[in-house]
């Protein structure tokens, strides 16, 4: 089975703070709340035990289910991603808060965290993503290759055309290429730059060794003459990008 080389998965979408492509706003479009936590490394055992207990009690199922990932590469290596969903904004009106939830999070989780940052809401693009093979069980694809993108405001008018080219190519590739496009719901500005994220889902690390087929398929689907223009446009549309590998942590999640 050939997998996508995420280094070829080039995506663009945001005027800084303003959506400039036709985003998937269907009712079924999934959304997640996520936060990045910097653990106190001297208290990792206690934090792990307390976070698992918290998620098992308050975030075990439905829209409030919590999934935890460890960031194993990139600028935020060693940090933890706590994610809740998929959900809608309406679910936040009834999110766990009473019955000891907030006190437990404050006293038994945050007490062992040095820093909390990147509190964000990410909405998936149903039309462009290739995630039909995914299920509610994150352990089937425990490794995520996440690429964040910062979009240039002057050239963002090309974003929709680029997204369509990439999505069309990925869906034409051989094999089981689980891949998603996610938009940051709120304004990030140019300094933060986390406007959009593309995610490749992997069953194991070994899949990253497989030869990339994106460019070959791109030639087949769009024509070889279109490649150079594609690369030039992406250089104009994107100001910056960086990668992270996330590894699912079943012990800390609400499973």
């Amino acid at each position: 089975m050939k997998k996508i080389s995420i280094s070829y998965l080039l995506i663009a979408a945001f005027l800084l703070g303003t959506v400039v492509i036709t985003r998937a706003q269907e009712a079924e479009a999934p959304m997640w709340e996520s936060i990045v936590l910097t653990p106190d490394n001297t208290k990792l055992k206690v934090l792990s035990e307390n976070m698992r207990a918290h998620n098992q009690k308050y975030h075990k199922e439905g829209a409030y289910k919590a999934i935890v990932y460890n960031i194993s590469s990139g600028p935020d290596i060693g940090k933890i991603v706590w994610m809740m969903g998929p959900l809608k904004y309406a679910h936040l009106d009834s999110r766990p808060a009473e019955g000891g939830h907030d006190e437990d999070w404050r006293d038994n989780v945050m007490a062992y965290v040095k820093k909390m940052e990147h509190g964000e809401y990410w909405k998936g693009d149903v039309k462009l993503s290739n995630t039909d093979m995914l299920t509610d069980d994150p352990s089937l694809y425990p490794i995520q290759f996440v690429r964040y993108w910062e979009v240039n405001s002057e050239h963002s008018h090309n974003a929709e055309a680029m997204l369509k080219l990439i999505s069309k190519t990925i869906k034409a590739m051989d094999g089981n290429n689980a891949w998603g496009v996610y938009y940051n719901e709120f304004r990030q500005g140019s300094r933060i730059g986390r406007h959009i994220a593309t995610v490749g889902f992997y069953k194991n690390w070994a899949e990253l060794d497989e030869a990339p087929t994106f460019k070959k398929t791109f030639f087949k689907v769009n024509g070889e003459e279109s490649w150079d223009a594609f690369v030039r446009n992406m250089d104009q549309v994107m100001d910056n990008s960086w990668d992270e590998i996330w590894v699912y942590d079943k012990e800390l999640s609400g499973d």
Side-chain angles (χ1 to χ4, degrees), residues 199-230:
V199 181
F201 300 84
Y202 293 83
K203 293 180 179 179
N204 51 60
W205 282 94
E207 290 186 329
L208 293 169
D209 287 325
E210 298 178 5
T213 61
F214 180 85
K215 188 173 182 179
K216 178 181 178 180
T217 307
F218 188 95
F219 286 166
K220 182 179 179 181
V221 172
N222 302 295
E224 293 189 21
E225 69 283 354
S226 63
W227 179 257
D228 289 344
F230 169 76

Side-chain angles (χ1 to χ4, degrees), residues 86-203:
L87 49 75
K88 299 178 182 180
Y89 287 117
H91 289 115
L92 301 178
D93 291 323
S94 303
R95 66 180 303 156
E98 300 178 355
H101 171 278
D102 288 358
E103 292 80 7
D104 184 65
W105 179 261
R106 179 194 66 202
D107 299 336
N108 297 320
V109 176
M110 291 306 299
Y112 304 100
V113 170
K114 288 186 175 181
K115 186 178 182 180
M116 179 170 63
E117 57 189 328
H118 300 309
E120 297 164 334
Y121 293 90
W122 293 91
K123 182 167 286 188
D125 191 314
V126 175
K127 291 182 179 180
L128 296 177
S129 296
N130 191 43
T131 54
D132 290 345
M133 69 288 295
L134 300 182
T135 69
D136 292 334
D137 184 359
S139 66
L140 298 179
Y141 290 84
I143 297 173
Q144 297 189 4
F145 193 136
V146 181
R147 174 161 291 174
Y148 291 103
W149 294 97
E150 178 183 336
V151 180
N152 181 285
S153 59
E154 294 183 4
H155 297 283
S156 57
H157 58 277
N158 285 326
E160 184 173 10
M162 305 305 292
L163 286 168
K164 288 181 178 179
L165 281 173
I166 297 165
S167 178
K168 182 179 179 181
T169 302
I170 292 168
K171 292 176 180 179
M173 291 171 60
D174 293 334
N176 185 17
N177 301 292
W179 177 78
V181 180
Y182 303 91
Y183 305 110
N184 200 323
E185 283 286 279
F186 295 102
R187 182 173 299 190
Q188 299 300 300
S190 58
R191 185 178 65 84
I192 299 174
R194 294 160 61 97
H195 303 143
I196 198 168
T198 57
V199 181
F201 300 84
Y202 293 83
K203 293 180 179 179

Side-chain angles (χ1 to χ4, degrees), residues 48-56 250-253 255:
S48 297
E49 293 172 348
N50 290 357
M51 182 176 288
R52 175 169 177 78
H54 177 89
N55 289 335
Q56 284 282 309
K250 182 176 177 63
E251 292 303 312
L252 299 187
S253 299
D255 298 326

